[in-house]
Amino acid sequence: MGKVKIKKSDVWIDMTPMSDVMVLLLTFFMLTSTFVKQEPIKVNTPGSVTEIKVPESNVIGVLVGNDGKVFMNMDKTTDVSAALSDVTGQFGISLTPQQQKKFLNDPNWGVPMNDLQSYLSLETVKMPEAIKKYGIPLDSVKGKTGDAAMSEFQIWIKAAKNANADAKIAIKADENTPYKTIKKIMSELQDMNENRYYLITQYKKVED
């Protein structure tokens, strides 16, 4: 007796709805995600049990390395541009349009004003490595037309607050950063009546 052959039929699945869902999900994550800024130094923050969250916008970031070097950043390019114009005006420094563009494209800044022009004249690929040897000075200095007895750090903070009065200060320091450096930063902020700021730490659960 011959075998009965069962006719095979092709199964066709419409993938269009799945493709639409994947595109929608990808678009959603692209619009809601925030990009992490490249930091000039690696910072391992200390552990803490606090659950207070740092705002995601309108933040003046203060980055402090384990060697005590200080860097800053802001999340809005317009605020950075206004702060840069303020500080360079106080020190009588004139930057070319190309130098200004490099500064605004830099995720962090932290070069003494005396070295700013030479730093911004470097090739873009050399800037991330070159900035590591600098840091915003915490020593008192007087700009050509600026405030006396203020450090460059204080001048930058004041300019950043002038650019965005609603911006909050967030300090991110390494766990091995010398205490005297952190104390110096806090003292300088206190001298400016900036008594409220965030200290960024790693969340650590309390052990039973």
Side-chain angles (χ1 to χ4, degrees):
M1 183 176 179
K3 294 181 179 180
V4 178
K5 294 184 178 180
I6 300 175
K7 185 178 180 181
K8 295 181 179 180
S9 58
D10 295 333
V11 178
W12 182 79
I13 301 176
D14 187 4
M15 299 296 291
T16 304
M18 184 177 292
S19 300
D20 292 340
V21 171
M22 292 300 296
V23 172
L24 288 173
L25 286 174
L26 179 61
T27 304
F28 170 77
F29 287 118
M30 288 178 63
L31 294 176
T32 57
S33 61
T34 55
F35 296 94
V36 178
K37 291 185 177 181
Q38 180 183 358
E39 297 178 343
I41 52 177
K42 185 178 180 180
V43 173
N44 296 318
T45 54
S48 172
V49 295
T50 181
E51 295 187 48
I52 300 175
K53 294 184 178 180
V54 178
E56 295 183 359
S57 60
N58 290 333
V59 175
I60 302 172
V62 179
L63 184 67
V64 190
N66 56 14
D67 55 359
K69 292 178 180 176
V70 180
F71 303 88
M72 289 178 58
N73 62 69
M74 296 183 76
D75 54 295
K76 293 183 179 179
T77 305
T78 52
D79 294 343
V80 177
S81 179
L84 175 64
S85 178
D86 187 345
V87 177
T88 52
Q90 292 188 47
F91 283 85
I93 296 176
S94 179
L95 300 179
T96 66
Q98 185 178 7
Q99 289 174 330
Q100 293 179 20
K101 184 177 180 181
K102 284 184 177 181
F103 189 96
L104 297 179
N105 290 336
D106 225 357
N108 293 267
W109 71 84
V111 178
M113 298 306 295
N114 290 337
D115 301 313
L116 185 60
Q117 288 178 305
S118 59
Y119 167 73
L120 294 175
S121 298
L122 295 173
E123 296 179 17
T124 304
V125 294
K126 295 181 179 180
M127 291 172 63
E129 188 64 29
I131 196 175
K132 295 179 181 179
K133 68 179 183 179
Y134 294 109
I136 301 175
L138 298 175
D139 299 328
S140 297
V141 68
K142 182 178 179 180
K144 291 183 178 180
T145 58
D147 298 309
M150 289 186 71
S151 69
E152 288 190 24
F153 171 72
Q154 290 176 313
I155 293 173
W156 274 113
I157 290 291
K158 184 178 179 180
K161 293 292 288 186
N162 288 340
N164 186 348
D166 296 327
K168 308 299 182 183
I169 300 172
I171 302 173
K172 182 179 180 181
D174 192 273
E175 60 183 356
N176 295 320
T177 300
Y179 173 72
K180 63 179 182 179
T181 303
I182 303 300
K183 184 179 179 180
K184 176 70 173 175
I185 291 174
M186 292 180 175
S187 296
E188 294 203 358
L189 291 175
Q190 188 176 16
D191 291 342
M192 303 174 65
N193 293 323
E194 294 290 345
N195 299 312
R196 302 189 65 178
Y197 43 82
Y198 294 90
L199 292 175
I200 300 177
T201 58
Q202 297 183 44
Y203 179 66
K204 183 178 181 181
K205 293 183 179 180
V206 179
E207 298 180 358
D208 297 333

